[in-house]
Amino acid sequence: MGQRSYNLADLLEILVEAGPDRPALVAGDRRLTFEQLNVRANRVGHHLAAHGVRPGEHVAILSYNRAEWLEAMFGAFKIRAVPIPVNYRYVAAELHHVLADSRSVALVGERSLLAGVEDVRERLPELRHVLVLEDGGGQDIPGAVPYEPALAAARADDDFPPRSDDDRYIVYTGGTTGYPKGVEWRCEDIFFGALGGGNALGDPISSPEAIADNAAKPPLPVVDCAPVMHGAGQWVACMGLFGGSKVVLYTDHAFDPAKALGLIAEEQANVLMIVGDVMAWPVAEALAAGSYDTSSLVAVASGGAPLTAGAREALRRHLPDVMFLDSYGASETGACGPSVEGGAGDQGTARFMMNPSVTVLRDDLTQVAPGEIGKLARSGHIPLGYYNDPAKTASTFFQDPDGKRWSIPGDFATLAEDGTIILLGRGSLVINTGGEKVYPEEVEVALKDHPDVYDVVVVGLPDERFGQRVAAVVAPVPGAEPTLEALTEHCRGRLAGYKLPRRLQLVREVQRTAVGKSDYAWARSVLNGTTS
């Protein structure tokens, strides 16, 4: 082999050469060593290349957690293609947007989920190859190729052209214009910015070849309950694998805390990865109600949604010796740093000890003084921008007078005297419901298409289990009285279920700001009963 790169396939191959028989992945009844995972990824890569997928082209993955998800991801990287994670909760309109916006030429998906793509397939002229993962569904997917026979017929060797640090990595995130946007990274930058840099708990590696040392370290098995189609779940899975550890994917479609706790005992896991309160509270309730062997557990990690102090303490009552790793991260910044015990009190949502590349900046890109409010910003290993969206890129990624690039996705924050950063909330008003991000504008557009809706403002309201829930303040057309049931049914074909309003308040007129923008503070006061 020649010089290796930070392309994720190169890193996997280096680990395989150093420790081929180490356990790598458990997903349901599938168990793969590093060598077996690598061979399966090789077969995916050779199959895609044989069907015309070229370096730089995009391969979408539409699937629940399963071994094939990671096989397909690494298989795309093998041929310098770019895997595109697709949210399995999306309905046809959202699927069309992501597949069309990403210009995906190939798609690996579960049969039942691919049925939604068939509804819009004729409007995806660039999608020319589909691989089907069997999931028990009986849907007919014309022209698609079954995954297992395709792999069986493909080569298993590592004979691929050289790769590059500049090979791309893309993850889609919610978009303020109504649909998700693809955040585009270089492989080197995502590896150091979000995937642990080969040493998630210490100094990053200094060369791709140095990751081989992780094949000799004691493993830290991880039970990953987060969806790997989201950044948090995918990043933790990659951190585990690149650390030389066994990653155990939670594969049930609905979260069952008893099964998650059972996996800890079965796999002697050291780390449990959950998604904020939406998983923390059920786990705490299960621990309170039953007896589980958690003796191997060293840490509970949370990402994708806030882990509140109440949920943390509920877990700690049953896991008194376990560390809590609740980190701040975003698709546009990567993993930035852990939360600090004690929180932020009344000052903000949470307090974090960020890494040195993270700070709080004013609009002129100078650092704020302690106590001053600005926006959280990260430099160094950050994305190139948003794929296929130069305008949005220009509004999030900036270069200061010294030539340093910054990612500033919109989180307001302040610096504390001790150097920690206190988050104050997202300026774009993103709603985080159970780890899924919802942008108000997207829901507003869907609601305004209903014939009984004249105007609408959408906000997030507190929810004990999910963090926030979607709520709408609607001014109906004269004489109309739309119900919550009618409006959610109208939106169901356009929006994923987690984006649907859970609460509705009718008003005679929607209040707007002096420049005609939605008045979100007013909408919250209406829903809270403090304004009529």
Side-chain angles (χ1 to χ4, degrees):
M1 290 286 182
Q3 184 175 358
R4 310 307 286 265
S5 75
Y6 287 109
N7 177 297
L8 306 194
D10 268 349
L11 297 171
L12 176 64
E13 290 172 4
I14 295 167
L15 281 166
V16 170
E17 293 162 11
D21 297 326
R22 284 173 72 94
L25 185 62
V26 177
D29 59 1
R30 295 279 307 282
R31 307 185 76 88
L32 298 174
T33 64
F34 275 87
E35 172 68 22
Q36 290 168 332
L37 174 59
N38 187 60
V39 167
R40 299 270 296 177
N42 287 344
R43 292 183 183 275
V44 173
H46 284 305
H47 173 86
L48 293 173
H51 284 77
V53 179
R54 299 292 174 249
E57 290 190 317
H58 296 174
V59 178
I61 307 173
L62 176 59
S63 166
Y64 289 92
N65 281 8
R66 55 193 292 168
E68 294 91 339
W69 205 107
L70 293 173
E71 293 170 5
M73 182 189 78
F74 283 113
F77 284 123
K78 291 275 187 178
I79 60 172
R80 303 184 66 192
V82 187
I84 303 293
V86 183
N87 193 322
Y88 50 70
R89 296 186 177 96
Y90 282 169
V91 296
E94 295 162 313
L95 290 171
H96 174 262
H97 167 77
V98 172
L99 294 172
D101 184 76
S102 66
R103 305 182 66 179
S104 292
V105 302
L107 170 61
V108 181
E110 295 189 12
R111 185 174 292 277
S112 60
L113 296 174
L114 289 173
V117 178
E118 284 303 300
D119 294 339
V120 296
R121 180 70 185 273
E122 62 183 15
R123 293 190 286 128
L124 296 168
E126 296 186 76
L127 181 60
R128 57 181 186 260
H129 187 63
V130 177
L131 274 170
V132 180
L133 300 171
E134 299 301 342
D135 63 356
Q139 296 85 350
D140 181 36
I141 312 297
V145 177
Y147 183 86
E148 288 300 333
L151 264 63
R155 288 161 44 199
D157 58 74
D158 270 336
D159 186 16
F160 296 98
R163 307 180 187 105
S164 168
D165 297 337
D166 292 323
D167 292 338
R168 299 296 194 254
Y169 170 103
I170 292 177
V171 60
Y172 268 74
T173 188
T176 55
T177 56
Y179 275 124
K181 298 295 181 187
V183 184
E184 186 175 23
W185 295 72
R186 297 170 59 251
C187 272
E188 180 181 2
D189 288 328
I190 194 69
F191 176 69
F192 288 106
L195 308 185
N199 186 12
L201 300 178
D203 294 331
I205 60 175
S206 57
S207 70
E209 291 78 10
I211 205 168
D213 294 342
N214 290 343
K217 293 179 179 178
L220 291 171
V222 179
V223 172
D224 189 355
C225 296
V228 291
M229 54 87 174
H230 277 329
Q234 191 180 138
W235 296 352
V236 165
C238 287
M239 283 183 195
L241 289 171
F242 293 140
S245 294
K246 176 178 67 176
V247 173
V248 182
L249 291 184
Y250 182 89
T251 56
D252 281 17
H253 293 185
F255 182 65
D256 181 340
K259 290 187 177 181
L261 290 166
L263 285 174
I264 294 172
E266 292 167 19
E267 303 298 337
Q268 287 297 287
N270 300 133
V271 180
L272 173 66
M273 166 63 183
I274 59 174
V275 180
D277 283 12
V278 71
M279 291 183 181
W281 280 113
V283 170
E285 291 164 3
L287 287 168
S291 177
Y292 298 91
D293 178 8
T294 58
S295 58
S296 64
L297 198 62
V298 174
V300 173
S302 175
L307 180 65
T308 62
R312 188 195 305 253
E313 289 309 309
L315 288 172
R316 183 172 277 126
R317 281 195 288 273
H318 308 283
L319 303 170
D321 300 321
V322 168
M323 295 187 298
F324 288 89
L325 307 173
D326 179 22
S327 298
Y328 170 83
S331 302
E332 296 91 344
T333 62
C336 293
S339 64
V340 177
E341 288 278 359
D346 295 332
Q347 303 173 78
T349 58
R351 186 160 56 100
F352 293 85
M353 181 63 73
M354 301 292 191
N355 69 46
S357 64
V358 183
T359 189
V360 182
L361 299 181
R362 305 182 182 96
D363 288 342
D364 64 0
L365 304 184
T366 58
Q367 182 174 296
V368 301
E372 184 182 352
I373 295 175
K375 289 181 180 177
L376 186 138
R378 185 177 190 179
S379 61
H381 292 291
I382 62 173
L384 298 169
Y386 292 97
Y387 177 73
N388 202 27
D389 195 338
K392 178 63 175 170
T393 297
S395 69
T396 304
F397 300 92
F398 304 88
Q399 184 168 301
D400 66 22
D402 295 327
K404 180 182 289 188
R405 290 186 67 245
W406 294 94
S407 173
I408 308 178
D411 285 301
F412 286 97
T414 184
L415 278 177
E417 292 286 350
D418 62 2
T420 58
I421 291 177
I422 299 170
L423 289 183
L424 303 175
R426 176 61 68 94
S428 59
L429 300 164
V430 67
I431 301 166
N432 189 322
T433 178
E436 296 282 7
K437 309 302 189 298
V438 181
Y439 281 77
E441 295 91 336
E442 181 179 5
V443 185
E444 290 168 359
V445 168
L447 287 170
K448 285 178 182 177
D449 277 347
H450 191 284
D452 289 345
V453 174
Y454 177 74
D455 202 358
V456 59
V457 177
V458 170
V459 297
L461 293 181
D463 185 278
E464 182 177 354
R465 177 59 55 85
F466 294 97
Q468 289 182 297
R469 63 183 183 274
V470 180
V473 177
V474 169
V477 299
E481 289 191 26
T483 64
L484 178 62
E485 292 74 16
L487 293 180
T488 54
E489 189 60 33
H490 164 78
C491 293
R492 201 174 298 279
R494 295 190 51 173
L495 301 173
Y498 64 86
K499 300 177 184 178
L500 300 177
R502 305 299 180 194
R503 176 148 171 222
L504 170 68
Q505 180 68 49
L506 299 181
V507 295
R508 285 194 299 175
E509 182 181 4
V510 165
Q511 182 172 303
R512 294 191 171 272
T513 67
V515 294
K517 293 184 179 291
S518 298
D519 191 333
Y520 293 102
W522 168 82
R524 284 197 189 88
S525 68
V526 169
L527 289 160
N528 290 330
T530 57
T531 299
S532 59

